[in-house]
Amino acid sequence: MSRRSKNCFFPSLAKGSGVLFLAGVLLLGQSGCARRGNDDVRVGVALYQQNDTFISTVVQDLELQARGWEEETGRKLTLTITDGGNSQSTQNDQVDRFLDRGYNAVCVNIVDRTAAAVLVDKAEAAGVPIIFFNRQPVQEDLDRWEYAYYVGARAEESGEIQGQIVADAWKADPASVDRNGDGVIQYVMLEGEPGHQDTLLRTEYSVNTLTQTVPAEKLASDTANWDRTQASARMGEWLDEFGDEIEVVFANNDDMALGAIDACEAAELEKLPFIVGVDATPPALDAIEAGTLQGTVLNDAEGMAESMFALIRALAAGEDPAEQMELEDGHYIWRPYRRITAETLSER
Protein backbone atom coordinates (compact mmCIF):
# COMPACT_ATOMS: atom_id res chain seq x y z
CA MET A 1 0.00 0.00 0.00
CA SER A 2 1.60 3.25 -1.08
CA ARG A 3 1.81 6.28 1.16
CA ARG A 4 -0.94 8.04 -0.83
CA SER A 5 -3.28 5.07 -1.25
CA LYS A 6 -6.67 5.18 0.42
CA ASN A 7 -6.76 3.90 3.95
CA CYS A 8 -8.68 0.60 4.08
CA PHE A 9 -9.98 1.32 7.58
CA PHE A 10 -11.02 4.92 6.82
CA PRO A 11 -11.16 4.75 3.00
CA SER A 12 -12.33 8.29 2.29
CA LEU A 13 -9.72 10.11 4.35
CA ALA A 14 -7.08 10.27 1.61
CA LYS A 15 -5.85 13.77 0.84
CA GLY A 16 -8.31 15.79 -1.19
CA SER A 17 -11.33 13.65 -0.31
CA GLY A 18 -14.56 14.85 1.21
CA VAL A 19 -15.88 14.30 4.69
CA LEU A 20 -18.01 11.23 3.94
CA PHE A 21 -16.85 7.86 5.31
CA LEU A 22 -17.48 4.42 3.86
CA ALA A 23 -18.63 3.12 7.21
CA GLY A 24 -19.55 -0.37 6.07
CA VAL A 25 -15.99 -1.32 5.20
CA LEU A 26 -14.94 -2.05 8.77
CA LEU A 27 -17.97 -3.99 9.92
CA LEU A 28 -19.20 -5.66 6.71
CA GLY A 29 -15.95 -6.37 4.92
CA GLN A 30 -17.29 -5.34 1.49
CA SER A 31 -14.18 -3.78 -0.05
CA GLY A 32 -11.15 -5.38 -1.63
CA CYS A 33 -9.06 -3.96 1.19
CA ALA A 34 -11.27 -5.59 3.77
CA ARG A 35 -11.18 -8.94 2.00
CA ARG A 36 -7.42 -8.81 1.86
CA GLY A 37 -7.07 -8.31 5.62
CA ASN A 38 -10.54 -8.65 7.08
CA ASP A 39 -9.24 -9.90 10.42
CA ASP A 40 -6.26 -7.60 10.66
CA VAL A 41 -6.88 -4.05 11.82
CA ARG A 42 -3.58 -2.41 12.64
CA VAL A 43 -2.96 0.57 14.89
CA GLY A 44 0.53 1.95 15.35
CA VAL A 45 1.50 3.47 18.69
CA ALA A 46 4.70 5.55 18.70
CA LEU A 47 6.01 6.38 22.19
CA TYR A 48 8.57 8.99 23.15
CA GLN A 49 10.18 6.34 25.33
CA GLN A 50 8.71 3.18 26.78
CA ASN A 51 10.51 3.07 30.12
CA ASP A 52 8.39 5.96 31.44
CA THR A 53 6.21 4.35 34.11
CA PHE A 54 3.09 6.33 33.27
CA ILE A 55 3.43 5.73 29.53
CA SER A 56 3.85 2.02 30.19
CA THR A 57 0.55 2.13 32.10
CA VAL A 58 -1.17 3.84 29.16
CA VAL A 59 0.15 1.12 26.84
CA GLN A 60 -1.23 -1.60 29.10
CA ASP A 61 -4.63 0.09 29.06
CA LEU A 62 -4.49 0.44 25.28
CA GLU A 63 -3.86 -3.28 25.01
CA LEU A 64 -6.88 -3.97 27.23
CA GLN A 65 -9.00 -1.72 25.00
CA ALA A 66 -7.78 -3.60 21.94
CA ARG A 67 -8.70 -6.96 23.44
CA GLY A 68 -12.12 -5.65 24.38
CA TRP A 69 -12.63 -4.38 20.85
CA GLU A 70 -11.73 -7.80 19.46
CA GLU A 71 -14.21 -9.55 21.72
CA GLU A 72 -16.96 -7.09 20.80
CA THR A 73 -16.45 -7.09 17.04
CA GLY A 74 -14.94 -10.51 16.34
CA ARG A 75 -12.12 -8.74 14.46
CA LYS A 76 -8.42 -8.95 15.19
CA LEU A 77 -6.81 -5.67 16.22
CA THR A 78 -3.03 -5.53 16.25
CA LEU A 79 -1.28 -2.83 18.26
CA THR A 80 2.32 -2.24 17.24
CA ILE A 81 4.22 -0.35 19.93
CA THR A 82 7.46 1.45 19.10
CA ASP A 83 9.93 3.18 21.40
CA GLY A 84 11.34 6.45 20.06
CA GLY A 85 14.18 6.44 22.58
CA ASN A 86 13.53 10.16 23.13
CA SER A 87 14.64 10.87 19.55
CA GLN A 88 12.24 12.72 17.25
CA SER A 89 14.12 11.52 14.18
CA THR A 90 13.71 7.91 15.29
CA GLN A 91 10.02 8.45 15.98
CA ASN A 92 9.50 10.06 12.56
CA ASP A 93 10.95 6.94 10.93
CA GLN A 94 8.65 4.74 13.01
CA VAL A 95 5.57 6.70 11.95
CA ASP A 96 6.76 6.53 8.33
CA ARG A 97 6.81 2.75 8.58
CA PHE A 98 3.27 2.66 9.99
CA LEU A 99 2.03 4.77 7.09
CA ASP A 100 4.02 2.95 4.41
CA ARG A 101 2.70 -0.40 5.63
CA GLY A 102 -0.90 0.69 5.50
CA TYR A 103 -1.69 0.98 9.18
CA ASN A 104 -5.25 2.07 9.82
CA ALA A 105 -4.59 4.66 12.53
CA VAL A 106 -1.55 6.08 14.28
CA CYS A 107 -1.31 7.17 17.92
CA VAL A 108 1.70 9.32 18.82
CA ASN A 109 3.19 10.19 22.20
CA ILE A 110 5.43 12.74 20.53
CA VAL A 111 9.05 13.32 21.51
CA ASP A 112 9.18 17.00 20.54
CA ARG A 113 5.81 18.74 20.69
CA THR A 114 7.00 21.41 18.25
CA ALA A 115 7.65 18.78 15.55
CA ALA A 116 4.06 17.60 15.08
CA ALA A 117 3.43 19.45 11.80
CA VAL A 118 5.59 17.00 9.84
CA LEU A 119 3.68 14.01 11.22
CA VAL A 120 0.28 15.62 10.65
CA ASP A 121 1.17 16.34 7.01
CA LYS A 122 2.34 12.77 6.48
CA ALA A 123 -0.82 11.36 8.04
CA GLU A 124 -2.99 13.61 5.89
CA ALA A 125 -1.18 12.50 2.73
CA ALA A 126 -1.78 8.88 3.68
CA GLY A 127 -5.39 9.44 4.73
CA VAL A 128 -4.65 8.02 8.19
CA PRO A 129 -6.13 9.64 11.33
CA ILE A 130 -3.43 10.62 13.80
CA ILE A 131 -4.10 10.79 17.53
CA PHE A 132 -1.51 12.49 19.72
CA PHE A 133 -1.68 11.70 23.42
CA ASN A 134 -0.19 12.84 26.73
CA ARG A 135 2.39 15.13 25.12
CA GLN A 136 0.46 17.98 23.57
CA PRO A 137 1.42 19.44 20.16
CA VAL A 138 0.99 23.14 19.55
CA GLN A 139 -2.50 24.00 18.37
CA GLU A 140 -1.39 25.33 14.99
CA ASP A 141 -0.09 21.88 14.09
CA LEU A 142 -3.33 20.10 14.99
CA ASP A 143 -5.26 22.71 13.00
CA ARG A 144 -3.43 21.61 9.83
CA TRP A 145 -5.83 18.68 9.35
CA GLU A 146 -9.31 17.91 10.66
CA TYR A 147 -8.40 14.29 11.45
CA ALA A 148 -5.57 15.16 13.80
CA TYR A 149 -6.49 14.84 17.48
CA TYR A 150 -5.09 15.19 20.97
CA VAL A 151 -6.08 13.20 24.07
CA GLY A 152 -4.68 14.31 27.40
CA ALA A 153 -5.19 16.46 30.48
CA ARG A 154 -4.56 20.14 31.17
CA ALA A 155 -1.17 20.35 32.83
CA GLU A 156 -2.01 23.46 34.85
CA GLU A 157 -4.74 21.51 36.68
CA SER A 158 -2.23 18.97 37.96
CA GLY A 159 -0.02 21.76 39.30
CA GLU A 160 -2.98 23.40 41.01
CA ILE A 161 -3.95 20.12 42.68
CA GLN A 162 -0.38 19.52 43.85
CA GLY A 163 -0.24 22.95 45.41
CA GLN A 164 -3.65 22.46 47.02
CA ILE A 165 -2.59 19.15 48.58
CA VAL A 166 0.27 20.93 50.34
CA ALA A 167 -1.85 23.94 51.26
CA ASP A 168 -4.60 21.75 52.73
CA ALA A 169 -2.08 19.82 54.81
CA TRP A 170 -0.71 23.11 56.16
CA LYS A 171 -4.21 24.34 57.01
CA ALA A 172 -5.02 21.12 58.85
CA ASP A 173 -1.73 20.99 60.77
CA PRO A 174 0.86 23.70 60.01
CA ALA A 175 3.61 21.91 61.93
CA SER A 176 3.26 18.83 59.71
CA VAL A 177 4.58 20.85 56.77
CA ASP A 178 6.21 23.99 58.21
CA ARG A 179 8.60 22.11 60.46
CA ASN A 180 10.71 25.07 61.54
CA GLY A 181 7.62 27.12 62.34
CA ASP A 182 8.73 30.22 60.46
CA GLY A 183 5.44 30.58 58.57
CA VAL A 184 7.20 29.93 55.24
CA ILE A 185 7.33 26.65 53.33
CA GLN A 186 10.87 25.85 52.16
CA TYR A 187 10.66 23.64 49.07
CA VAL A 188 12.66 22.05 46.26
CA MET A 189 11.31 21.37 42.77
CA LEU A 190 12.13 18.31 40.64
CA GLU A 191 11.29 19.31 37.09
CA GLY A 192 10.57 17.13 34.08
CA GLU A 193 11.91 17.55 30.57
CA PRO A 194 13.14 21.11 29.88
CA GLY A 195 10.69 23.05 27.69
CA HIS A 196 7.92 20.47 28.02
CA GLN A 197 4.54 22.09 28.67
CA ASP A 198 3.82 19.77 31.60
CA THR A 199 7.10 20.76 33.20
CA LEU A 200 6.46 24.47 32.80
CA LEU A 201 2.82 24.46 33.87
CA ARG A 202 3.08 22.00 36.76
CA THR A 203 6.03 23.93 38.15
CA GLU A 204 4.30 27.30 37.87
CA TYR A 205 0.84 26.36 39.08
CA SER A 206 1.88 24.20 42.01
CA VAL A 207 3.80 27.04 43.60
CA ASN A 208 1.27 29.73 42.67
CA THR A 209 -1.52 27.69 44.25
CA LEU A 210 0.46 27.04 47.45
CA THR A 211 1.42 30.69 47.90
CA GLN A 212 -2.23 31.75 47.86
CA THR A 213 -2.37 30.10 51.30
CA VAL A 214 1.13 30.31 52.78
CA PRO A 215 4.41 31.99 51.71
CA ALA A 216 6.95 29.68 50.11
CA GLU A 217 10.70 29.87 49.57
CA LYS A 218 12.44 27.89 46.84
CA LEU A 219 15.67 26.33 48.05
CA ALA A 220 16.54 24.66 44.74
CA SER A 221 15.12 23.35 41.49
CA ASP A 222 16.56 21.26 38.69
CA THR A 223 15.50 19.00 35.87
CA ALA A 224 15.44 15.25 36.32
CA ASN A 225 13.77 14.45 32.95
CA TRP A 226 10.89 12.46 34.47
CA ASP A 227 13.46 9.89 35.63
CA ARG A 228 13.61 8.23 39.06
CA THR A 229 17.37 7.69 39.07
CA GLN A 230 18.14 11.28 38.04
CA ALA A 231 15.72 12.58 40.66
CA SER A 232 17.36 10.51 43.37
CA ALA A 233 20.75 11.98 42.47
CA ARG A 234 19.41 15.56 42.51
CA MET A 235 17.67 15.01 45.83
CA GLY A 236 20.78 13.48 47.34
CA GLU A 237 22.74 16.60 46.44
CA TRP A 238 20.07 18.85 47.98
CA LEU A 239 19.98 16.81 51.18
CA ASP A 240 23.74 17.26 51.46
CA GLU A 241 23.32 21.01 50.99
CA PHE A 242 20.11 21.79 52.86
CA GLY A 243 19.43 18.78 55.09
CA ASP A 244 16.22 19.08 57.09
CA GLU A 245 15.63 22.61 55.82
CA ILE A 246 13.72 20.93 52.96
CA GLU A 247 10.09 20.85 54.07
CA VAL A 248 8.34 20.09 50.76
CA VAL A 249 9.38 18.34 47.56
CA PHE A 250 7.36 19.11 44.44
CA ALA A 251 7.98 16.58 41.65
CA ASN A 252 6.50 17.03 38.18
CA ASN A 253 5.79 13.28 38.03
CA ASP A 254 5.67 10.26 40.29
CA ASP A 255 8.89 8.65 39.07
CA MET A 256 10.80 11.73 40.24
CA ALA A 257 8.86 11.81 43.52
CA LEU A 258 9.86 8.20 44.10
CA GLY A 259 13.45 9.12 43.32
CA ALA A 260 13.29 11.78 46.03
CA ILE A 261 12.00 9.15 48.45
CA ASP A 262 14.86 6.84 47.46
CA ALA A 263 17.39 9.56 48.31
CA CYS A 264 15.73 10.32 51.65
CA GLU A 265 15.74 6.65 52.61
CA ALA A 266 19.36 6.29 51.53
CA ALA A 267 20.18 9.24 53.79
CA GLU A 268 18.32 7.43 56.60
CA LEU A 269 16.13 10.43 57.41
CA GLU A 270 13.94 9.84 60.43
CA LYS A 271 11.16 11.96 58.92
CA LEU A 272 10.79 12.56 55.20
CA PRO A 273 9.81 15.91 53.71
CA PHE A 274 6.25 16.35 52.45
CA ILE A 275 6.60 14.90 48.93
CA VAL A 276 4.01 15.19 46.14
CA GLY A 277 4.01 13.84 42.59
CA VAL A 278 1.78 13.51 39.51
CA ASP A 279 0.35 10.50 37.63
CA ALA A 280 -0.88 8.10 40.35
CA THR A 281 1.21 5.24 38.98
CA PRO A 282 0.96 1.91 40.83
CA PRO A 283 4.36 2.37 42.57
CA ALA A 284 3.28 5.85 43.69
CA LEU A 285 0.04 4.52 45.14
CA ASP A 286 2.07 1.94 47.05
CA ALA A 287 4.23 4.78 48.41
CA ILE A 288 1.15 6.70 49.55
CA GLU A 289 -0.08 3.61 51.35
CA ALA A 290 3.36 3.26 52.96
CA GLY A 291 3.29 6.90 54.06
CA THR A 292 6.41 8.01 52.21
CA LEU A 293 4.53 9.89 49.45
CA GLN A 294 1.97 12.37 50.75
CA GLY A 295 0.02 12.90 47.57
CA THR A 296 -0.18 12.57 43.83
CA VAL A 297 -2.51 13.63 41.02
CA LEU A 298 -4.34 10.99 39.01
CA ASN A 299 -3.45 11.27 35.34
CA ASP A 300 -6.14 9.00 33.93
CA ALA A 301 -4.25 6.41 31.86
CA GLU A 302 -7.30 4.19 31.54
CA GLY A 303 -9.51 7.07 30.49
CA MET A 304 -6.89 8.23 28.01
CA ALA A 305 -6.90 4.82 26.34
CA GLU A 306 -10.70 4.74 26.32
CA SER A 307 -10.86 8.15 24.63
CA MET A 308 -8.34 7.15 21.99
CA PHE A 309 -10.37 4.08 21.11
CA ALA A 310 -13.59 6.10 21.17
CA LEU A 311 -12.10 8.28 18.44
CA ILE A 312 -11.11 5.24 16.40
CA ARG A 313 -14.57 3.70 16.81
CA ALA A 314 -16.36 6.87 15.73
CA LEU A 315 -14.18 7.32 12.66
CA ALA A 316 -14.55 3.66 11.72
CA ALA A 317 -18.33 3.91 11.93
CA GLY A 318 -18.38 6.92 9.65
CA GLU A 319 -19.53 9.16 12.47
CA ASP A 320 -18.46 12.66 13.37
CA PRO A 321 -16.39 12.25 16.57
CA ALA A 322 -17.66 15.63 17.78
CA GLU A 323 -21.18 14.18 17.89
CA GLN A 324 -20.10 11.13 19.88
CA MET A 325 -17.92 12.74 22.55
CA GLU A 326 -16.89 16.09 23.94
CA LEU A 327 -14.37 17.32 21.38
CA GLU A 328 -13.05 20.81 22.03
CA ASP A 329 -12.17 22.93 18.99
CA GLY A 330 -12.64 19.87 16.80
CA HIS A 331 -9.39 18.28 17.98
CA TYR A 332 -9.14 17.91 21.77
CA ILE A 333 -10.39 15.40 24.31
CA TRP A 334 -9.48 16.58 27.80
CA ARG A 335 -9.33 14.08 30.66
CA PRO A 336 -9.79 15.42 34.21
CA TYR A 337 -7.12 15.14 36.88
CA ARG A 338 -7.99 14.04 40.43
CA ARG A 339 -6.12 14.35 43.73
CA ILE A 340 -4.96 11.20 45.48
CA THR A 341 -3.89 11.19 49.13
CA ALA A 342 -4.05 8.61 51.89
CA GLU A 343 -7.60 9.81 52.62
CA THR A 344 -8.80 9.31 49.03
CA LEU A 345 -6.70 6.29 48.09
CA SER A 346 -9.63 3.88 48.24
CA GLU A 347 -11.72 6.12 45.94
CA ARG A 348 -9.44 6.05 42.89
Side-chain angles (χ1 to χ4, degrees):
M1 186 174 184
S2 69
R3 178 75 63 80
R4 292 184 179 273
S5 297
K6 283 189 176 182
N7 183 302
C8 296
F9 195 24
F10 309 110
S12 63
L13 293 190
K15 191 171 184 178
S17 67
V19 183
L20 294 175
F21 296 93
L22 301 184
V25 171
L26 175 65
L27 299 178
L28 301 180
Q30 296 294 317
S31 73
C33 288
R35 287 195 301 270
R36 181 194 56 157
N38 191 48
D39 292 324
D40 186 14
V41 174
R42 294 178 295 172
V43 177
V45 182
L47 307 179
Y48 92 100
Q49 62 179 20
Q50 199 163 358
N51 65 356
D52 182 300
T53 303
F54 176 72
I55 295 303
S56 296
T57 304
V58 174
V59 169
Q60 292 169 14
D61 287 318
L62 284 171
E63 290 169 341
L64 289 174
Q65 287 289 319
R67 303 295 76 79
W69 187 91
E70 288 180 326
E71 293 174 4
E72 179 183 336
T73 65
R75 300 285 306 276
K76 179 180 180 182
L77 193 153
T78 300
L79 283 179
T80 301
I81 313 295
T82 59
D83 185 345
N86 213 25
S87 164
Q88 189 60 57
S89 176
T90 298
Q91 188 175 72
N92 288 351
D93 291 342
Q94 292 164 346
V95 172
D96 281 343
R97 285 195 291 273
F98 291 149
L99 300 176
D100 286 336
R101 296 173 184 176
Y103 276 65
N104 308 113
V106 176
C107 303
V108 181
N109 173 230
I110 196 164
V111 174
D112 179 0
R113 66 188 295 257
T114 66
V118 172
L119 299 183
V120 171
D121 289 348
K122 289 178 178 181
E124 181 183 13
V128 177
I130 185 166
I131 302 168
F132 295 93
F133 67 99
N134 193 59
R135 296 165 70 91
Q136 182 185 347
V138 296
Q139 183 172 349
E140 290 80 3
D141 291 345
L142 287 184
D143 287 342
R144 297 173 74 90
W145 192 38
E146 60 183 311
Y147 301 114
Y149 304 95
Y150 176 71
V151 179
R154 300 181 190 274
E156 60 270 26
E157 291 180 5
S158 58
E160 289 171 351
I161 294 172
Q162 270 195 323
Q164 197 61 54
I165 289 171
V166 180
D168 288 348
W170 182 86
K171 290 176 184 176
D173 180 10
S176 68
V177 185
D178 182 17
R179 297 179 184 177
N180 62 12
D182 67 351
V184 178
I185 302 299
Q186 280 77 31
Y187 74 91
V188 295
M189 178 74 69
L190 287 163
E191 300 179 7
E193 180 183 337
H196 192 289
Q197 80 275 13
D198 285 2
T199 297
L200 299 173
L201 294 173
R202 288 174 184 173
T203 298
E204 175 185 356
Y205 279 83
S206 59
V207 175
N208 286 351
T209 301
L210 174 62
T211 54
Q212 291 174 20
T213 299
V214 57
E217 175 189 359
K218 181 174 73 174
L219 298 178
S221 65
D222 202 354
T223 182
N225 291 299
W226 315 116
D227 184 78
R228 182 169 182 167
T229 301
Q230 291 186 38
S232 179
R234 301 286 184 278
M235 188 65 187
E237 293 168 357
W238 294 338
L239 288 172
D240 289 341
E241 182 175 358
F242 301 109
D244 59 8
E245 292 180 49
I246 301 172
E247 296 174 328
V248 171
V249 179
F250 285 108
N252 287 166
N253 79 338
D254 283 341
D255 275 1
M256 294 189 296
L258 294 171
I261 293 170
D262 292 341
C264 291
E265 292 179 339
E268 300 182 343
L269 295 187
E270 291 185 9
K271 185 173 177 60
L272 273 63
F274 194 101
I275 302 172
V276 288
V278 176
D279 284 335
T281 62
L285 298 179
D286 291 341
I288 290 177
E289 190 169 9
T292 54
L293 183 66
Q294 298 304 312
T296 185
V297 185
L298 176 66
N299 197 357
D300 189 3
E302 181 179 357
M304 197 174 296
E306 289 176 354
S307 293
M308 292 161 68
F309 266 86
L311 277 170
I312 292 171
R313 286 172 179 271
L315 290 164
E319 299 166 348
D320 180 357
E323 296 179 357
Q324 304 301 314
M325 64 202 74
E326 188 172 346
L327 199 62
E328 187 173 307
D329 295 330
H331 296 285
Y332 296 90
I333 296 177
W334 296 109
R335 303 296 310 186
Y337 282 110
R338 184 161 57 85
R339 68 185 284 161
I340 303 291
T341 61
E343 292 73 25
T344 64
L345 193 58
S346 62
E347 302 171 8
R348 68 185 189 279

